[in-house]
Amino acid sequence: MRAVQVVNAKGPFRLVELDVPEPPAGSVRIKVQACGVCHSDEYAKEGSRPGIQYPRIPGHEVAGIIDAVGAGVAGWEAGQRVGVGWHGGHCGYCISCRRGDFVTCSKARQITGLTRDGGYADFMIASAGALASIPGELSPVEAGPLLCAGVTTFNALRNSGARSGDMVAILGVGGLGHMAIQFSAKMGFHTIAIARGQDKGPLAKKLGAKHYIDSESQNAVAELEKLGGAKVMLSTVTSGKAVNAVLGGLGINGRLILVGNPDQPLEVPGRLLIAGRRSISGWPSGSPIDSQDTLGFAALSGVRPMTEVFPLERATDAYERMMSGKARFRVVLTTGV
Ligand SMILES: [Zn+2]
Ligand SMILES: [Zn+2]
Protein backbone atom coordinates (compact mmCIF):
# COMPACT_ATOMS: atom_id res chain seq x y z
CA MET A 1 0.00 0.00 0.00
CA ARG A 2 0.98 3.63 -0.39
CA ALA A 3 1.52 5.71 2.74
CA VAL A 4 2.79 9.20 3.42
CA GLN A 5 5.14 9.28 6.41
CA VAL A 6 6.81 12.04 8.32
CA VAL A 7 10.35 10.69 8.43
CA ASN A 8 11.40 12.55 11.57
CA ALA A 9 10.43 15.67 13.49
CA LYS A 10 10.66 18.70 11.16
CA GLY A 11 11.48 16.27 8.33
CA PRO A 12 9.74 16.04 4.96
CA PHE A 13 6.80 13.89 3.96
CA ARG A 14 7.87 10.71 2.18
CA LEU A 15 5.63 8.58 -0.05
CA VAL A 16 6.47 4.93 0.70
CA GLU A 17 5.26 1.43 -0.15
CA LEU A 18 4.39 -0.66 2.91
CA ASP A 19 2.85 -4.08 3.50
CA VAL A 20 -0.88 -3.90 4.14
CA PRO A 21 -1.15 -4.41 7.94
CA GLU A 22 -3.31 -7.09 9.58
CA PRO A 23 -5.74 -5.80 12.23
CA PRO A 24 -4.81 -6.98 15.74
CA ALA A 25 -7.45 -8.04 18.28
CA GLY A 26 -9.91 -5.26 19.02
CA SER A 27 -9.07 -3.35 15.83
CA VAL A 28 -10.23 -3.09 12.23
CA ARG A 29 -8.43 -2.33 8.98
CA ILE A 30 -9.91 0.57 7.04
CA LYS A 31 -9.56 1.04 3.29
CA VAL A 32 -9.04 4.81 3.33
CA GLN A 33 -11.03 6.85 0.79
CA ALA A 34 -10.33 10.36 2.08
CA CYS A 35 -8.34 12.03 4.86
CA GLY A 36 -8.53 15.68 5.82
CA VAL A 37 -5.37 17.71 6.31
CA CYS A 38 -5.70 19.59 9.58
CA HIS A 39 -3.59 22.28 11.22
CA SER A 40 -3.04 19.85 14.11
CA ASP A 41 -1.08 17.60 11.71
CA GLU A 42 1.66 20.13 12.44
CA TYR A 43 2.29 18.30 15.75
CA ALA A 44 3.37 15.19 13.84
CA LYS A 45 5.21 17.17 11.16
CA GLU A 46 7.16 19.40 13.55
CA GLY A 47 7.40 17.02 16.53
CA SER A 48 5.98 19.76 18.72
CA ARG A 49 4.36 17.30 21.11
CA PRO A 50 6.54 15.00 23.22
CA GLY A 51 6.71 11.24 22.65
CA ILE A 52 5.90 10.94 18.94
CA GLN A 53 7.64 7.96 17.34
CA TYR A 54 8.94 8.27 13.77
CA PRO A 55 8.36 7.50 11.01
CA ARG A 56 4.72 8.45 11.58
CA ILE A 57 1.75 8.50 9.18
CA PRO A 58 -0.32 11.61 10.03
CA GLY A 59 -4.02 12.23 9.46
CA HIS A 60 -6.97 12.23 11.86
CA GLU A 61 -9.91 13.03 9.56
CA VAL A 62 -10.21 9.59 8.02
CA ALA A 63 -13.17 8.31 6.00
CA GLY A 64 -13.23 4.84 4.48
CA ILE A 65 -14.61 1.33 4.46
CA ILE A 66 -13.91 -1.49 6.93
CA ASP A 67 -11.81 -3.96 5.02
CA ALA A 68 -10.88 -6.56 7.67
CA VAL A 69 -11.95 -7.13 11.27
CA GLY A 70 -9.61 -8.27 14.07
CA ALA A 71 -10.45 -10.86 16.72
CA GLY A 72 -12.93 -9.93 19.41
CA VAL A 73 -14.53 -7.00 17.58
CA ALA A 74 -18.32 -6.89 17.99
CA GLY A 75 -20.71 -4.54 16.21
CA TRP A 76 -18.56 -3.71 13.19
CA GLU A 77 -18.15 -5.66 9.97
CA ALA A 78 -16.35 -5.53 6.65
CA GLY A 79 -17.98 -3.24 4.10
CA GLN A 80 -19.27 -0.67 6.63
CA ARG A 81 -18.45 2.98 5.97
CA VAL A 82 -16.60 4.41 8.96
CA GLY A 83 -14.64 7.44 10.06
CA VAL A 84 -11.89 8.04 12.61
CA GLY A 85 -11.08 11.39 14.17
CA TRP A 86 -8.57 12.80 16.65
CA HIS A 87 -9.68 10.36 19.37
CA GLY A 88 -7.88 7.14 18.48
CA GLY A 89 -8.60 5.09 21.60
CA HIS A 90 -8.68 5.13 25.39
CA CYS A 91 -7.69 2.90 28.30
CA GLY A 92 -11.13 1.97 29.61
CA TYR A 93 -10.02 1.82 33.28
CA CYS A 94 -8.91 5.31 34.41
CA ILE A 95 -11.28 7.50 36.43
CA SER A 96 -12.34 9.48 33.32
CA CYS A 97 -12.97 6.35 31.26
CA ARG A 98 -14.94 4.76 34.10
CA ARG A 99 -17.13 7.87 34.05
CA GLY A 100 -17.58 7.46 30.27
CA ASP A 101 -15.53 10.59 29.58
CA PHE A 102 -13.11 8.99 27.11
CA VAL A 103 -11.81 12.28 25.70
CA THR A 104 -10.09 13.10 28.99
CA CYS A 105 -8.62 9.58 29.43
CA SER A 106 -5.54 10.08 31.61
CA LYS A 107 -3.77 6.71 31.20
CA ALA A 108 -3.54 5.66 27.58
CA ARG A 109 -5.32 8.09 25.33
CA GLN A 110 -4.48 7.45 21.68
CA ILE A 111 -4.43 10.23 19.11
CA THR A 112 -4.88 9.23 15.49
CA GLY A 113 -1.91 10.20 13.33
CA LEU A 114 0.15 11.19 16.37
CA THR A 115 0.50 8.38 18.93
CA ARG A 116 -0.46 5.86 16.20
CA ASP A 117 -0.51 5.89 12.42
CA GLY A 118 -3.30 7.85 10.74
CA GLY A 119 -5.03 8.22 7.42
CA TYR A 120 -2.46 9.58 4.93
CA ALA A 121 -2.40 6.06 3.43
CA ASP A 122 -4.35 3.50 1.40
CA PHE A 123 -5.10 1.49 4.55
CA MET A 124 -4.97 2.13 8.29
CA ILE A 125 -5.58 0.19 11.47
CA ALA A 126 -8.08 1.66 13.93
CA SER A 127 -9.25 0.59 17.36
CA ALA A 128 -12.91 -0.52 17.14
CA GLY A 129 -13.64 1.91 19.98
CA ALA A 130 -12.49 4.82 17.79
CA LEU A 131 -14.96 4.25 14.93
CA ALA A 132 -17.88 6.41 13.84
CA SER A 133 -20.43 5.23 11.30
CA ILE A 134 -20.78 7.42 8.18
CA PRO A 135 -24.31 7.95 6.83
CA GLY A 136 -25.02 7.39 3.12
CA GLU A 137 -25.75 11.07 2.46
CA LEU A 138 -22.12 12.08 3.02
CA SER A 139 -19.28 11.49 0.56
CA PRO A 140 -15.88 10.50 1.97
CA VAL A 141 -14.50 13.98 1.16
CA GLU A 142 -17.38 15.59 3.05
CA ALA A 143 -17.11 13.19 6.00
CA GLY A 144 -13.34 13.71 6.58
CA PRO A 145 -13.35 17.30 7.86
CA LEU A 146 -16.53 16.66 9.87
CA LEU A 147 -14.46 14.25 12.00
CA CYS A 148 -12.29 17.07 13.38
CA ALA A 149 -13.36 20.62 12.50
CA GLY A 150 -16.95 19.37 12.43
CA VAL A 151 -17.19 17.49 15.71
CA THR A 152 -15.18 20.15 17.55
CA THR A 153 -17.58 22.97 16.65
CA PHE A 154 -20.78 20.87 16.68
CA ASN A 155 -20.00 19.39 20.07
CA ALA A 156 -18.92 22.70 21.62
CA LEU A 157 -22.15 24.34 20.43
CA ARG A 158 -24.50 21.57 21.46
CA ASN A 159 -22.98 21.52 24.96
CA SER A 160 -22.79 25.32 25.26
CA GLY A 161 -26.06 25.77 27.12
CA ALA A 162 -27.47 28.00 24.34
CA ARG A 163 -31.12 27.39 23.52
CA SER A 164 -33.07 27.94 20.30
CA GLY A 165 -33.16 31.62 19.44
CA ASP A 166 -30.24 32.58 21.71
CA MET A 167 -27.57 34.77 20.21
CA VAL A 168 -24.42 32.85 19.35
CA ALA A 169 -21.41 34.72 17.99
CA ILE A 170 -18.82 32.82 15.98
CA LEU A 171 -15.38 34.39 16.00
CA GLY A 172 -13.53 33.64 12.77
CA VAL A 173 -14.70 32.50 9.32
CA GLY A 174 -12.09 29.84 8.46
CA GLY A 175 -11.70 26.08 8.65
CA LEU A 176 -13.48 25.81 12.00
CA GLY A 177 -15.57 28.97 11.70
CA HIS A 178 -17.27 28.09 8.43
CA MET A 179 -18.45 24.84 10.04
CA ALA A 180 -19.47 26.55 13.30
CA ILE A 181 -21.64 29.14 11.50
CA GLN A 182 -23.55 26.39 9.67
CA PHE A 183 -24.05 24.27 12.79
CA SER A 184 -25.11 27.27 14.87
CA ALA A 185 -27.69 28.37 12.29
CA LYS A 186 -29.07 24.85 11.81
CA MET A 187 -29.33 24.40 15.60
CA GLY A 188 -31.66 27.38 15.64
CA PHE A 189 -29.36 29.97 17.19
CA HIS A 190 -29.38 33.64 16.24
CA THR A 191 -25.98 33.44 14.60
CA ILE A 192 -23.52 36.32 14.35
CA ALA A 193 -20.24 35.91 12.47
CA ILE A 194 -17.26 38.10 13.39
CA ALA A 195 -14.08 38.33 11.30
CA ARG A 196 -11.62 40.84 9.94
CA GLY A 197 -12.52 42.61 6.70
CA GLN A 198 -15.65 42.99 4.59
CA ASP A 199 -14.91 40.18 2.14
CA LYS A 200 -16.06 37.31 4.38
CA GLY A 201 -19.47 38.87 5.06
CA PRO A 202 -21.41 37.50 2.06
CA LEU A 203 -20.08 33.97 2.60
CA ALA A 204 -20.84 34.09 6.35
CA LYS A 205 -24.42 35.06 5.56
CA LYS A 206 -24.71 32.37 2.91
CA LEU A 207 -23.57 29.83 5.53
CA GLY A 208 -26.38 30.94 7.83
CA ALA A 209 -25.18 33.98 9.81
CA LYS A 210 -27.96 36.53 10.43
CA HIS A 211 -25.43 39.32 10.92
CA TYR A 212 -21.80 39.82 10.00
CA ILE A 213 -19.50 42.09 12.00
CA ASP A 214 -16.28 43.29 10.39
CA SER A 215 -14.02 43.75 13.40
CA GLU A 216 -11.68 46.04 11.41
CA SER A 217 -14.20 48.69 10.40
CA GLN A 218 -16.78 48.17 13.14
CA ASN A 219 -16.68 48.14 16.95
CA ALA A 220 -17.61 44.49 17.53
CA VAL A 221 -18.43 45.00 21.22
CA ALA A 222 -20.79 47.89 20.46
CA GLU A 223 -22.45 45.93 17.64
CA LEU A 224 -22.96 42.88 19.88
CA GLU A 225 -24.35 45.11 22.67
CA LYS A 226 -26.79 46.64 20.18
CA LEU A 227 -28.04 43.13 19.40
CA GLY A 228 -28.42 42.29 23.10
CA GLY A 229 -25.07 40.63 23.90
CA ALA A 230 -23.97 37.11 23.01
CA LYS A 231 -25.22 34.17 25.06
CA VAL A 232 -22.36 32.14 23.65
CA MET A 233 -19.24 33.27 21.85
CA LEU A 234 -17.38 30.45 20.11
CA SER A 235 -13.82 31.45 19.27
CA THR A 236 -12.20 29.58 16.38
CA VAL A 237 -9.30 32.03 15.93
CA THR A 238 -5.71 31.84 17.15
CA SER A 239 -5.24 35.58 17.73
CA GLY A 240 -5.47 36.22 21.46
CA LYS A 241 -5.73 39.92 20.63
CA ALA A 242 -8.85 39.30 18.54
CA VAL A 243 -10.48 37.36 21.40
CA ASN A 244 -9.60 40.06 23.95
CA ALA A 245 -11.13 42.69 21.68
CA VAL A 246 -14.61 41.11 21.61
CA LEU A 247 -14.96 39.70 25.16
CA GLY A 248 -16.99 42.76 26.20
CA GLY A 249 -19.72 41.66 23.75
CA LEU A 250 -20.76 38.76 25.99
CA GLY A 251 -24.27 39.28 27.35
CA ILE A 252 -25.56 38.51 30.85
CA ASN A 253 -24.67 34.88 31.70
CA GLY A 254 -22.68 34.86 28.46
CA ARG A 255 -20.03 32.23 27.92
CA LEU A 256 -16.90 32.36 25.81
CA ILE A 257 -15.88 28.93 24.52
CA LEU A 258 -12.43 28.47 23.01
CA VAL A 259 -11.93 25.84 20.32
CA GLY A 260 -9.06 27.74 18.71
CA ASN A 261 -5.97 28.09 20.91
CA PRO A 262 -5.11 31.80 21.42
CA ASP A 263 -1.46 32.74 20.85
CA GLN A 264 -1.39 34.89 23.97
CA PRO A 265 -3.10 34.81 27.39
CA LEU A 266 -6.55 36.35 27.58
CA GLU A 267 -6.94 39.61 29.45
CA VAL A 268 -10.20 39.42 31.32
CA PRO A 269 -11.40 42.16 33.67
CA GLY A 270 -12.77 40.35 36.74
CA ARG A 271 -15.75 42.69 36.86
CA LEU A 272 -16.87 41.50 33.42
CA LEU A 273 -17.17 37.96 34.77
CA ILE A 274 -18.57 38.81 38.20
CA ALA A 275 -21.19 41.45 37.45
CA GLY A 276 -22.84 39.62 34.55
CA ARG A 277 -22.06 36.04 35.70
CA ARG A 278 -20.06 35.61 32.50
CA SER A 279 -17.68 32.69 32.05
CA ILE A 280 -14.85 31.41 29.92
CA SER A 281 -14.21 27.80 28.99
CA GLY A 282 -12.80 25.58 26.28
CA TRP A 283 -13.94 22.51 24.40
CA PRO A 284 -11.78 19.60 23.16
CA SER A 285 -13.40 17.96 20.10
CA GLY A 286 -15.27 14.79 21.12
CA SER A 287 -15.51 11.04 21.41
CA PRO A 288 -16.28 8.69 18.49
CA ILE A 289 -20.01 8.72 19.25
CA ASP A 290 -19.86 12.54 19.22
CA SER A 291 -18.29 12.24 15.75
CA GLN A 292 -21.08 9.94 14.67
CA ASP A 293 -23.67 12.41 15.99
CA THR A 294 -21.91 15.19 14.04
CA LEU A 295 -22.05 13.17 10.83
CA GLY A 296 -25.72 12.35 11.47
CA PHE A 297 -26.62 15.99 12.10
CA ALA A 298 -24.75 17.09 8.98
CA ALA A 299 -26.60 14.49 6.89
CA LEU A 300 -29.90 15.63 8.39
CA SER A 301 -29.40 19.38 8.13
CA GLY A 302 -27.28 19.83 5.00
CA VAL A 303 -24.19 21.14 6.84
CA ARG A 304 -21.13 20.45 4.68
CA PRO A 305 -17.47 21.48 4.77
CA MET A 306 -16.05 23.49 1.89
CA THR A 307 -13.08 21.53 0.61
CA GLU A 308 -10.07 21.56 -1.71
CA VAL A 309 -9.10 18.06 -2.81
CA PHE A 310 -5.60 16.69 -3.52
CA PRO A 311 -4.57 13.10 -4.38
CA LEU A 312 -2.64 11.26 -1.65
CA GLU A 313 0.67 11.48 -3.51
CA ARG A 314 0.46 15.28 -3.37
CA ALA A 315 0.36 15.35 0.44
CA THR A 316 3.20 17.86 0.61
CA ASP A 317 1.32 20.33 -1.63
CA ALA A 318 -1.88 19.71 0.32
CA TYR A 319 -0.15 20.34 3.66
CA GLU A 320 1.52 23.52 2.39
CA ARG A 321 -1.79 24.76 1.02
CA MET A 322 -3.43 24.16 4.41
CA MET A 323 -0.56 25.85 6.30
CA SER A 324 -0.70 28.87 3.95
CA GLY A 325 -4.08 29.76 5.46
CA LYS A 326 -5.39 30.41 1.96
CA ALA A 327 -7.39 27.18 1.53
CA ARG A 328 -11.17 27.57 1.37
CA PHE A 329 -11.53 25.98 3.84
CA ARG A 330 -10.52 22.37 4.47
CA VAL A 331 -7.92 20.46 2.46
CA VAL A 332 -8.65 16.76 1.87
CA LEU A 333 -6.48 13.96 0.47
CA THR A 334 -8.10 11.21 -1.61
CA THR A 335 -6.75 7.74 -2.39
CA GLY A 336 -8.80 7.17 -5.55
CA VAL A 337 -11.05 4.54 -3.92
ZN1 LIG B 1 -7.82 18.24 13.36
ZN1 LIG C 1 -8.74 6.13 30.38
Side-chain angles (χ1 to χ4, degrees), residues 9-336:
K10 302 189 193 303
F13 288 116
R14 184 174 62 185
L15 183 67
V16 295
E17 292 273 328
L18 301 174
D19 291 337
V20 175
E22 289 304 317
S27 294
V28 303
R29 183 171 68 214
I30 298 172
K31 184 175 246 207
V32 177
Q33 295 172 295
C35 183
V37 177
C38 176
H39 200 276
S40 299
D41 294 344
E42 191 186 18
Y43 295 125
K45 185 77 168 56
E46 300 300 322
S48 46
R49 277 194 173 210
I52 304 171
Q53 288 174 1
Y54 293 92
R56 178 56 81 218
I57 303 171
H60 58 267
E61 299 185 349
V62 192
I65 300 164
I66 295 180
D67 170 68
V69 178
V73 172
W76 299 99
E77 55 191 49
Q80 265 183 289
R81 297 183 66 211
V82 291
V84 185
W86 181 254
H87 187 91
H90 48 272
C91 77
Y93 59 83
C94 74
I95 294 293
S96 281
C97 284
R98 288 168 61 200
R99 294 191 195 285
D101 187 6
F102 306 131
V103 169
T104 59
C105 172
S106 59
K107 294 289 183 199
R109 185 168 181 224
Q110 297 290 311
I111 298 172
T112 313
L114 212 59
T115 66
R116 53 189 294 153
D117 282 336
Y120 286 23
D122 286 323
F123 293 90
M124 79 168 257
I125 300 295
S127 169
L131 300 176
S133 178
I134 300 178
E137 291 90 336
L138 299 175
S139 74
V141 168
E142 290 168 339
L146 286 166
L147 292 154
C148 181
V151 62
T152 300
T153 51
F154 172 79
N155 215 23
L157 286 169
R158 73 169 174 167
N159 288 291
S160 69
R163 301 169 69 184
S164 304
D166 282 346
M167 196 211 291
V168 170
I170 309 294
L171 190 52
V173 183
L176 287 165
H178 92 289
M179 301 291 337
I181 293 166
Q182 294 181 67
F183 282 127
S184 173
K186 292 292 185 184
M187 286 176 185
F189 304 141
H190 179 180
T191 303
I192 320 285
I194 306 171
R196 277 184 303 201
Q198 297 281 358
D199 56 318
K200 285 178 174 169
L203 174 66
K205 289 193 173 169
K206 203 173 133 216
L207 293 171
K210 206 77 191 152
H211 303 272
Y212 176 76
I213 299 173
D214 166 16
S215 59
E216 277 177 346
S217 68
Q218 290 172 285
N219 179 334
V221 170
E223 293 300 319
L224 288 169
E225 273 174 353
K226 249 189 259 172
L227 293 163
K231 183 72 199 284
V232 165
M233 200 180 274
L234 184 73
S235 174
T236 71
V237 300
T238 53
S239 163
K241 206 172 142 216
V243 182
N244 286 329
V246 297
L247 268 176
L250 281 173
I252 302 301
N253 293 315
R255 179 178 171 194
L256 168 74
I257 305 173
L258 300 175
V259 290
N261 187 10
D263 57 5
Q264 66 183 72
L266 301 184
E267 288 165 19
V268 191
R271 203 174 42 183
L272 181 81
L273 303 183
I274 297 165
R277 293 182 298 264
R278 297 175 183 88
S279 60
I280 295 178
S281 63
W283 194 268
S285 128
S287 68
I289 193 63
D290 293 319
S291 291
Q292 189 164 317
D293 291 346
T294 305
L295 296 165
F297 186 84
L300 186 72
S301 64
V303 169
R304 296 290 186 276
M306 292 169 67
T307 55
E308 294 183 8
V309 177
F310 289 73
L312 177 66
E313 60 273 18
R314 288 187 60 206
T316 300
D317 297 335
Y319 181 82
E320 278 168 8
R321 176 73 180 157
M322 179 279 298
M323 290 301 283
S324 76
K326 291 186 185 132
R328 294 239 148 170
F329 283 100
R330 300 297 289 189
V331 175
V332 182
L333 295 171
T334 53
T335 59

